[in-house]
Amino acid sequence: MKVLIHDSAEAAVAAIANRIVEKVIAKPACVLGLATGGTVEPVYDAMVQKYDQQKVSYSRIRTFNLDEYVGLSPDHPMSYHHFMEKHLFGRTDISASNTSIPFGNAANPAEEAKRYEAEIKRCGGIDCQLLGVGENGHIGFNEPTSSLSSTVRIKTLAPETVRANSRYFQRIEDVPRLSITMGIGTILCAREIVLIATGDNKSKAVLEMIEGPLSARCPASALQLHPHAEIYLDAAAASQLTLRDYYEAVHPNGKVES
Ligand code: GLP
């Protein structure tokens, strides 16, 4: 695990976006795993900016999103389909037919989960998975006590996740209680992982993710098992790490060699 600590959230965002763009330039038809949430919004803004500056084309990439709320149709304003269209897909040359997000409104969500896992495999697996992390350590919607080898399936949102995500809904009662999410096992199959966490409210999850123990209590701690995981942090998210001097000595200013 490479722990990359930046002075500011802006610097962490720029670094992770540059890393993703580098990967697309190196392999234009790469398979990217994508995430939603407030933390990745500026990452997508930075990726769009690179596209606007004609530094990269996303026309050949294939994408798979982590998750979707059960019950929301793709055109629902709070769906992750809508989020992706608004923040990334609709602003670049990504071809709609090259994007996949689980269908939350599928007649049989359990079947949809199986179909989604199979579709990822059929495309040869994910080259690089972008992640955020929940305050409770969740990745995707894999809440605490999720199986560390889980595949795409239905998961019930933890009460703290319902509360955190209610900021996007009119009323807390409107937040769906179920999701279809890649499993932790699905995420660990990605060949590379890049995760971003910014702000004080993520510092406990970041501590548990990086310094352990490895436990289903903190799903993100499963990334300790991954051979190519890079964790992009700002100073606030890194504030509880006990080995910070070590991480900063290995990667001064969050710099990582290619
Ligand atoms: C959401 C998503 C996660 C995301 C997390 C953090 O519920 N399912 O993929 O990483 O919560 O979101 P935020 O960046 O808004 O804190």
PDB file of all heavy atoms in Angstrom, residues 102-132:
ATOM      1  N   PRO A 102     -24.662  -0.867 -12.262  1.00  0.00           N
ATOM      2  CA  PRO A 102     -25.766  -1.804 -12.003  1.00  0.00           C
ATOM      3  C   PRO A 102     -27.108  -1.089 -12.148  1.00  0.00           C
ATOM      4  O   PRO A 102     -27.232   0.098 -11.822  1.00  0.00           O
ATOM      5  CB  PRO A 102     -25.543  -2.233 -10.539  1.00  0.00           C
ATOM      6  CG  PRO A 102     -24.130  -1.903 -10.231  1.00  0.00           C
ATOM      7  CD  PRO A 102     -23.764  -0.740 -11.114  1.00  0.00           C
ATOM      8  N   PHE A 103     -28.109  -1.821 -12.647  1.00  0.00           N
ATOM      9  CA  PHE A 103     -29.456  -1.245 -12.768  1.00  0.00           C
ATOM     10  C   PHE A 103     -30.212  -1.457 -11.457  1.00  0.00           C
ATOM     11  O   PHE A 103     -30.606  -2.577 -11.134  1.00  0.00           O
ATOM     12  CB  PHE A 103     -30.210  -1.853 -13.953  1.00  0.00           C
ATOM     13  CG  PHE A 103     -29.702  -1.351 -15.274  1.00  0.00           C
ATOM     14  CD1 PHE A 103     -28.913  -2.145 -16.086  1.00  0.00           C
ATOM     15  CD2 PHE A 103     -29.984  -0.040 -15.681  1.00  0.00           C
ATOM     16  CE1 PHE A 103     -28.417  -1.655 -17.294  1.00  0.00           C
ATOM     17  CE2 PHE A 103     -29.488   0.457 -16.894  1.00  0.00           C
ATOM     18  CZ  PHE A 103     -28.704  -0.359 -17.692  1.00  0.00           C
ATOM     19  N   GLY A 104     -30.408  -0.347 -10.734  1.00  0.00           N
ATOM     20  CA  GLY A 104     -31.083  -0.414  -9.441  1.00  0.00           C
ATOM     21  C   GLY A 104     -32.557  -0.744  -9.573  1.00  0.00           C
ATOM     22  O   GLY A 104     -33.192  -1.189  -8.622  1.00  0.00           O
ATOM     23  N   ASN A 105     -33.097  -0.499 -10.767  1.00  0.00           N
ATOM     24  CA  ASN A 105     -34.526  -0.756 -10.987  1.00  0.00           C
ATOM     25  C   ASN A 105     -34.777  -2.098 -11.675  1.00  0.00           C
ATOM     26  O   ASN A 105     -35.885  -2.325 -12.191  1.00  0.00           O
ATOM     27  CB  ASN A 105     -35.144   0.375 -11.819  1.00  0.00           C
ATOM     28  CG  ASN A 105     -34.495   0.496 -13.198  1.00  0.00           C
ATOM     29  OD1 ASN A 105     -33.386   0.004 -13.404  1.00  0.00           O
ATOM     30  ND2 ASN A 105     -35.165   1.162 -14.117  1.00  0.00           N
ATOM     31  N   ALA A 106     -33.773  -2.976 -11.709  1.00  0.00           N
ATOM     32  CA  ALA A 106     -33.957  -4.291 -12.343  1.00  0.00           C
ATOM     33  C   ALA A 106     -35.089  -5.036 -11.634  1.00  0.00           C
ATOM     34  O   ALA A 106     -35.256  -4.914 -10.412  1.00  0.00           O
ATOM     35  CB  ALA A 106     -32.667  -5.099 -12.256  1.00  0.00           C
ATOM     36  N   ALA A 107     -35.851  -5.830 -12.423  1.00  0.00           N
ATOM     37  CA  ALA A 107     -36.973  -6.571 -11.831  1.00  0.00           C
ATOM     38  C   ALA A 107     -36.460  -7.547 -10.774  1.00  0.00           C
ATOM     39  O   ALA A 107     -37.115  -7.762  -9.743  1.00  0.00           O
ATOM     40  CB  ALA A 107     -37.709  -7.328 -12.939  1.00  0.00           C
ATOM     41  N   ASN A 108     -35.285  -8.109 -11.024  1.00  0.00           N
ATOM     42  CA  ASN A 108     -34.714  -9.057 -10.062  1.00  0.00           C
ATOM     43  C   ASN A 108     -33.298  -8.586  -9.689  1.00  0.00           C
ATOM     44  O   ASN A 108     -32.319  -8.926 -10.364  1.00  0.00           O
ATOM     45  CB  ASN A 108     -34.686 -10.454 -10.704  1.00  0.00           C
ATOM     46  CG  ASN A 108     -34.199 -11.507  -9.730  1.00  0.00           C
ATOM     47  OD1 ASN A 108     -33.474 -11.200  -8.781  1.00  0.00           O
ATOM     48  ND2 ASN A 108     -34.591 -12.747  -9.973  1.00  0.00           N
ATOM     49  N   PRO A 109     -33.177  -7.787  -8.631  1.00  0.00           N
ATOM     50  CA  PRO A 109     -31.872  -7.201  -8.291  1.00  0.00           C
ATOM     51  C   PRO A 109     -30.779  -8.255  -8.036  1.00  0.00           C
ATOM     52  O   PRO A 109     -29.613  -8.023  -8.374  1.00  0.00           O
ATOM     53  CB  PRO A 109     -32.160  -6.384  -7.026  1.00  0.00           C
ATOM     54  CG  PRO A 109     -33.624  -6.083  -7.097  1.00  0.00           C
ATOM     55  CD  PRO A 109     -34.258  -7.276  -7.755  1.00  0.00           C
ATOM     56  N   ALA A 110     -31.146  -9.401  -7.473  1.00  0.00           N
ATOM     57  CA  ALA A 110     -30.127 -10.433  -7.201  1.00  0.00           C
ATOM     58  C   ALA A 110     -29.554 -10.973  -8.516  1.00  0.00           C
ATOM     59  O   ALA A 110     -28.343 -11.194  -8.639  1.00  0.00           O
ATOM     60  CB  ALA A 110     -30.735 -11.565  -6.369  1.00  0.00           C
ATOM     61  N   GLU A 111     -30.430 -11.143  -9.512  1.00  0.00           N
ATOM     62  CA  GLU A 111     -29.976 -11.582 -10.845  1.00  0.00           C
ATOM     63  C   GLU A 111     -29.115 -10.501 -11.499  1.00  0.00           C
ATOM     64  O   GLU A 111     -28.118 -10.787 -12.160  1.00  0.00           O
ATOM     65  CB  GLU A 111     -31.188 -11.869 -11.750  1.00  0.00           C
ATOM     66  CG  GLU A 111     -31.810 -13.232 -11.551  1.00  0.00           C
ATOM     67  CD  GLU A 111     -30.789 -14.367 -11.732  1.00  0.00           C
ATOM     68  OE1 GLU A 111     -30.020 -14.321 -12.716  1.00  0.00           O
ATOM     69  OE2 GLU A 111     -30.761 -15.264 -10.874  1.00  0.00           O
ATOM     70  N   GLU A 112     -29.522  -9.259 -11.311  1.00  0.00           N
ATOM     71  CA  GLU A 112     -28.775  -8.132 -11.878  1.00  0.00           C
ATOM     72  C   GLU A 112     -27.348  -8.111 -11.291  1.00  0.00           C
ATOM     73  O   GLU A 112     -26.380  -7.848 -12.005  1.00  0.00           O
ATOM     74  CB  GLU A 112     -29.509  -6.817 -11.572  1.00  0.00           C
ATOM     75  CG  GLU A 112     -28.761  -5.537 -11.830  1.00  0.00           C
ATOM     76  CD  GLU A 112     -28.371  -5.310 -13.299  1.00  0.00           C
ATOM     77  OE1 GLU A 112     -28.735  -6.120 -14.159  1.00  0.00           O
ATOM     78  OE2 GLU A 112     -27.653  -4.315 -13.542  1.00  0.00           O
ATOM     79  N   ALA A 113     -27.236  -8.416 -10.008  1.00  0.00           N
ATOM     80  CA  ALA A 113     -25.917  -8.455  -9.363  1.00  0.00           C
ATOM     81  C   ALA A 113     -25.038  -9.530 -10.018  1.00  0.00           C
ATOM     82  O   ALA A 113     -23.878  -9.279 -10.355  1.00  0.00           O
ATOM     83  CB  ALA A 113     -26.075  -8.724  -7.871  1.00  0.00           C
ATOM     84  N   LYS A 114     -25.607 -10.695 -10.246  1.00  0.00           N
ATOM     85  CA  LYS A 114     -24.838 -11.791 -10.878  1.00  0.00           C
ATOM     86  C   LYS A 114     -24.422 -11.398 -12.292  1.00  0.00           C
ATOM     87  O   LYS A 114     -23.307 -11.628 -12.723  1.00  0.00           O
ATOM     88  CB  LYS A 114     -25.710 -13.055 -10.975  1.00  0.00           C
ATOM     89  CG  LYS A 114     -25.729 -13.868  -9.720  1.00  0.00           C
ATOM     90  CD  LYS A 114     -26.290 -15.254 -10.046  1.00  0.00           C
ATOM     91  CE  LYS A 114     -27.015 -15.782  -8.821  1.00  0.00           C
ATOM     92  NZ  LYS A 114     -28.086 -16.709  -9.137  1.00  0.00           N
ATOM     93  N   ARG A 115     -25.370 -10.783 -13.030  1.00  0.00           N
ATOM     94  CA  ARG A 115     -25.091 -10.365 -14.407  1.00  0.00           C
ATOM     95  C   ARG A 115     -23.934  -9.364 -14.416  1.00  0.00           C
ATOM     96  O   ARG A 115     -23.054  -9.429 -15.265  1.00  0.00           O
ATOM     97  CB  ARG A 115     -26.351  -9.711 -15.003  1.00  0.00           C
ATOM     98  CG  ARG A 115     -26.227  -9.326 -16.462  1.00  0.00           C
ATOM     99  CD  ARG A 115     -27.274  -8.299 -16.899  1.00  0.00           C
ATOM    100  NE  ARG A 115     -27.137  -6.999 -16.248  1.00  0.00           N
ATOM    101  CZ  ARG A 115     -26.226  -6.076 -16.559  1.00  0.00           C
ATOM    102  NH1 ARG A 115     -25.359  -6.298 -17.522  1.00  0.00           N
ATOM    103  NH2 ARG A 115     -26.166  -4.919 -15.903  1.00  0.00           N
ATOM    104  N   TYR A 116     -23.946  -8.459 -13.446  1.00  0.00           N
ATOM    105  CA  TYR A 116     -22.929  -7.394 -13.402  1.00  0.00           C
ATOM    106  C   TYR A 116     -21.534  -7.977 -13.151  1.00  0.00           C
ATOM    107  O   TYR A 116     -20.568  -7.605 -13.818  1.00  0.00           O
ATOM    108  CB  TYR A 116     -23.304  -6.375 -12.318  1.00  0.00           C
ATOM    109  CG  TYR A 116     -22.603  -5.044 -12.465  1.00  0.00           C
ATOM    110  CD1 TYR A 116     -22.900  -4.200 -13.529  1.00  0.00           C
ATOM    111  CD2 TYR A 116     -21.650  -4.636 -11.549  1.00  0.00           C
ATOM    112  CE1 TYR A 116     -22.258  -2.977 -13.675  1.00  0.00           C
ATOM    113  CE2 TYR A 116     -21.002  -3.412 -11.683  1.00  0.00           C
ATOM    114  CZ  TYR A 116     -21.319  -2.583 -12.744  1.00  0.00           C
ATOM    115  OH  TYR A 116     -20.670  -1.368 -12.882  1.00  0.00           O
ATOM    116  N   GLU A 117     -21.454  -8.901 -12.206  1.00  0.00           N
ATOM    117  CA  GLU A 117     -20.152  -9.547 -11.918  1.00  0.00           C
ATOM    118  C   GLU A 117     -19.641 -10.242 -13.185  1.00  0.00           C
ATOM    119  O   GLU A 117     -18.455 -10.152 -13.531  1.00  0.00           O
ATOM    120  CB  GLU A 117     -20.329 -10.558 -10.772  1.00  0.00           C
ATOM    121  CG  GLU A 117     -19.062 -11.283 -10.352  1.00  0.00           C
ATOM    122  CD  GLU A 117     -18.158 -10.491  -9.408  1.00  0.00           C
ATOM    123  OE1 GLU A 117     -18.666  -9.670  -8.611  1.00  0.00           O
ATOM    124  OE2 GLU A 117     -16.935 -10.679  -9.485  1.00  0.00           O
ATOM    125  N   ALA A 118     -20.549 -10.938 -13.890  1.00  0.00           N
ATOM    126  CA  ALA A 118     -20.152 -11.680 -15.095  1.00  0.00           C
ATOM    127  C   ALA A 118     -19.697 -10.714 -16.197  1.00  0.00           C
ATOM    128  O   ALA A 118     -18.752 -10.989 -16.937  1.00  0.00           O
ATOM    129  CB  ALA A 118     -21.318 -12.531 -15.590  1.00  0.00           C
ATOM    130  N   GLU A 119     -20.361  -9.555 -16.279  1.00  0.00           N
ATOM    131  CA  GLU A 119     -20.005  -8.571 -17.315  1.00  0.00           C
ATOM    132  C   GLU A 119     -18.588  -8.025 -17.077  1.00  0.00           C
ATOM    133  O   GLU A 119     -17.820  -7.829 -18.021  1.00  0.00           O
ATOM    134  CB  GLU A 119     -21.039  -7.437 -17.304  1.00  0.00           C
ATOM    135  CG  GLU A 119     -20.974  -6.567 -18.541  1.00  0.00           C
ATOM    136  CD  GLU A 119     -21.967  -5.398 -18.485  1.00  0.00           C
ATOM    137  OE1 GLU A 119     -22.904  -5.428 -17.670  1.00  0.00           O
ATOM    138  OE2 GLU A 119     -21.782  -4.445 -19.259  1.00  0.00           O
ATOM    139  N   ILE A 120     -18.253  -7.798 -15.812  1.00  0.00           N
ATOM    140  CA  ILE A 120     -16.889  -7.314 -15.496  1.00  0.00           C
ATOM    141  C   ILE A 120     -15.870  -8.373 -15.945  1.00  0.00           C
ATOM    142  O   ILE A 120     -14.868  -8.053 -16.589  1.00  0.00           O
ATOM    143  CB  ILE A 120     -16.732  -7.040 -13.974  1.00  0.00           C
ATOM    144  CG1 ILE A 120     -17.661  -5.904 -13.532  1.00  0.00           C
ATOM    145  CG2 ILE A 120     -15.281  -6.728 -13.624  1.00  0.00           C
ATOM    146  CD1 ILE A 120     -17.740  -5.710 -12.019  1.00  0.00           C
ATOM    147  N   LYS A 121     -16.156  -9.623 -15.643  1.00  0.00           N
ATOM    148  CA  LYS A 121     -15.231 -10.706 -16.019  1.00  0.00           C
ATOM    149  C   LYS A 121     -15.109 -10.798 -17.542  1.00  0.00           C
ATOM    150  O   LYS A 121     -14.018 -10.959 -18.073  1.00  0.00           O
ATOM    151  CB  LYS A 121     -15.739 -12.039 -15.462  1.00  0.00           C
ATOM    152  CG  LYS A 121     -15.629 -12.133 -13.946  1.00  0.00           C
ATOM    153  CD  LYS A 121     -15.251 -13.556 -13.524  1.00  0.00           C
ATOM    154  CE  LYS A 121     -14.949 -13.620 -12.042  1.00  0.00           C
ATOM    155  NZ  LYS A 121     -16.180 -13.565 -11.211  1.00  0.00           N
ATOM    156  N   ARG A 122     -16.275 -10.686 -18.226  1.00  0.00           N
ATOM    157  CA  ARG A 122     -16.275 -10.806 -19.686  1.00  0.00           C
ATOM    158  C   ARG A 122     -15.414  -9.714 -20.333  1.00  0.00           C
ATOM    159  O   ARG A 122     -14.837  -9.922 -21.395  1.00  0.00           O
ATOM    160  CB  ARG A 122     -17.709 -10.719 -20.209  1.00  0.00           C
ATOM    161  CG  ARG A 122     -17.904 -11.435 -21.533  1.00  0.00           C
ATOM    162  CD  ARG A 122     -19.340 -11.511 -21.989  1.00  0.00           C
ATOM    163  NE  ARG A 122     -20.121 -10.331 -21.726  1.00  0.00           N
ATOM    164  CZ  ARG A 122     -21.121 -10.265 -20.844  1.00  0.00           C
ATOM    165  NH1 ARG A 122     -21.485 -11.331 -20.146  1.00  0.00           N
ATOM    166  NH2 ARG A 122     -21.791  -9.147 -20.668  1.00  0.00           N
ATOM    167  N   CYS A 123     -15.315  -8.566 -19.685  1.00  0.00           N
ATOM    168  CA  CYS A 123     -14.495  -7.477 -20.237  1.00  0.00           C
ATOM    169  C   CYS A 123     -13.033  -7.592 -19.828  1.00  0.00           C
ATOM    170  O   CYS A 123     -12.242  -6.670 -20.042  1.00  0.00           O
ATOM    171  CB  CYS A 123     -15.051  -6.129 -19.813  1.00  0.00           C
ATOM    172  SG  CYS A 123     -16.565  -5.758 -20.685  1.00  0.00           S
ATOM    173  N   GLY A 124     -12.683  -8.694 -19.194  1.00  0.00           N
ATOM    174  CA  GLY A 124     -11.274  -8.923 -18.859  1.00  0.00           C
ATOM    175  C   GLY A 124     -10.859  -8.386 -17.502  1.00  0.00           C
ATOM    176  O   GLY A 124      -9.678  -8.350 -17.178  1.00  0.00           O
ATOM    177  N   GLY A 125     -11.830  -7.921 -16.700  1.00  0.00           N
ATOM    178  CA  GLY A 125     -11.508  -7.419 -15.360  1.00  0.00           C
ATOM    179  C   GLY A 125     -11.101  -5.950 -15.407  1.00  0.00           C
ATOM    180  O   GLY A 125     -10.919  -5.374 -16.483  1.00  0.00           O
ATOM    181  N   ILE A 126     -10.987  -5.361 -14.234  1.00  0.00           N
ATOM    182  CA  ILE A 126     -10.746  -3.916 -14.115  1.00  0.00           C
ATOM    183  C   ILE A 126      -9.246  -3.637 -14.019  1.00  0.00           C
ATOM    184  O   ILE A 126      -8.545  -4.249 -13.211  1.00  0.00           O
ATOM    185  CB  ILE A 126     -11.526  -3.384 -12.893  1.00  0.00           C
ATOM    186  CG1 ILE A 126     -13.036  -3.462 -13.219  1.00  0.00           C
ATOM    187  CG2 ILE A 126     -11.100  -1.966 -12.526  1.00  0.00           C
ATOM    188  CD1 ILE A 126     -13.950  -3.257 -12.049  1.00  0.00           C
ATOM    189  N   ASP A 127      -8.769  -2.714 -14.859  1.00  0.00           N
ATOM    190  CA  ASP A 127      -7.350  -2.353 -14.805  1.00  0.00           C
ATOM    191  C   ASP A 127      -7.070  -1.472 -13.592  1.00  0.00           C
ATOM    192  O   ASP A 127      -6.084  -1.664 -12.887  1.00  0.00           O
ATOM    193  CB  ASP A 127      -6.946  -1.583 -16.079  1.00  0.00           C
ATOM    194  CG  ASP A 127      -6.895  -2.497 -17.290  1.00  0.00           C
ATOM    195  OD1 ASP A 127      -6.257  -3.557 -17.199  1.00  0.00           O
ATOM    196  OD2 ASP A 127      -7.509  -2.155 -18.316  1.00  0.00           O
ATOM    197  N   CYS A 128      -7.924  -0.465 -13.399  1.00  0.00           N
ATOM    198  CA  CYS A 128      -7.679   0.484 -12.298  1.00  0.00           C
ATOM    199  C   CYS A 128      -9.013   0.875 -11.678  1.00  0.00           C
ATOM    200  O   CYS A 128      -9.905   1.353 -12.380  1.00  0.00           O
ATOM    201  CB  CYS A 128      -6.955   1.717 -12.835  1.00  0.00           C
ATOM    202  SG  CYS A 128      -6.635   2.927 -11.545  1.00  0.00           S
ATOM    203  N   GLN A 129      -9.148   0.670 -10.393  1.00  0.00           N
ATOM    204  CA  GLN A 129     -10.392   0.969  -9.672  1.00  0.00           C
ATOM    205  C   GLN A 129     -10.204   2.222  -8.826  1.00  0.00           C
ATOM    206  O   GLN A 129      -9.319   2.269  -7.960  1.00  0.00           O
ATOM    207  CB  GLN A 129     -10.771  -0.203  -8.773  1.00  0.00           C
ATOM    208  CG  GLN A 129     -11.983   0.049  -7.883  1.00  0.00           C
ATOM    209  CD  GLN A 129     -13.290   0.140  -8.667  1.00  0.00           C
ATOM    210  OE1 GLN A 129     -13.605  -0.754  -9.442  1.00  0.00           O
ATOM    211  NE2 GLN A 129     -14.039   1.211  -8.470  1.00  0.00           N
ATOM    212  N   LEU A 130     -11.033   3.238  -9.066  1.00  0.00           N
ATOM    213  CA  LEU A 130     -11.062   4.440  -8.228  1.00  0.00           C
ATOM    214  C   LEU A 130     -12.013   4.195  -7.065  1.00  0.00           C
ATOM    215  O   LEU A 130     -13.124   3.692  -7.265  1.00  0.00           O
ATOM    216  CB  LEU A 130     -11.559   5.635  -9.068  1.00  0.00           C
ATOM    217  CG  LEU A 130     -11.906   6.916  -8.308  1.00  0.00           C
ATOM    218  CD1 LEU A 130     -10.660   7.523  -7.650  1.00  0.00           C
ATOM    219  CD2 LEU A 130     -12.544   7.948  -9.259  1.00  0.00           C
ATOM    220  N   LEU A 131     -11.587   4.574  -5.862  1.00  0.00           N
ATOM    221  CA  LEU A 131     -12.429   4.404  -4.677  1.00  0.00           C
ATOM    222  C   LEU A 131     -12.434   5.662  -3.816  1.00  0.00           C
ATOM    223  O   LEU A 131     -11.438   6.384  -3.757  1.00  0.00           O
ATOM    224  CB  LEU A 131     -11.883   3.282  -3.775  1.00  0.00           C
ATOM    225  CG  LEU A 131     -11.892   1.840  -4.266  1.00  0.00           C
ATOM    226  CD1 LEU A 131     -11.198   0.949  -3.227  1.00  0.00           C
ATOM    227  CD2 LEU A 131     -13.317   1.357  -4.513  1.00  0.00           C
ATOM    228  N   GLY A 132     -13.536   5.856  -3.093  1.00  0.00           N
ATOM    229  CA  GLY A 132     -13.572   6.745  -1.947  1.00  0.00           C
ATOM    230  C   GLY A 132     -13.733   5.822  -0.739  1.00  0.00           C
ATOM    231  O   GLY A 132     -13.692   4.600  -0.875  1.00  0.00           O
TER     232      GLY A 132
END
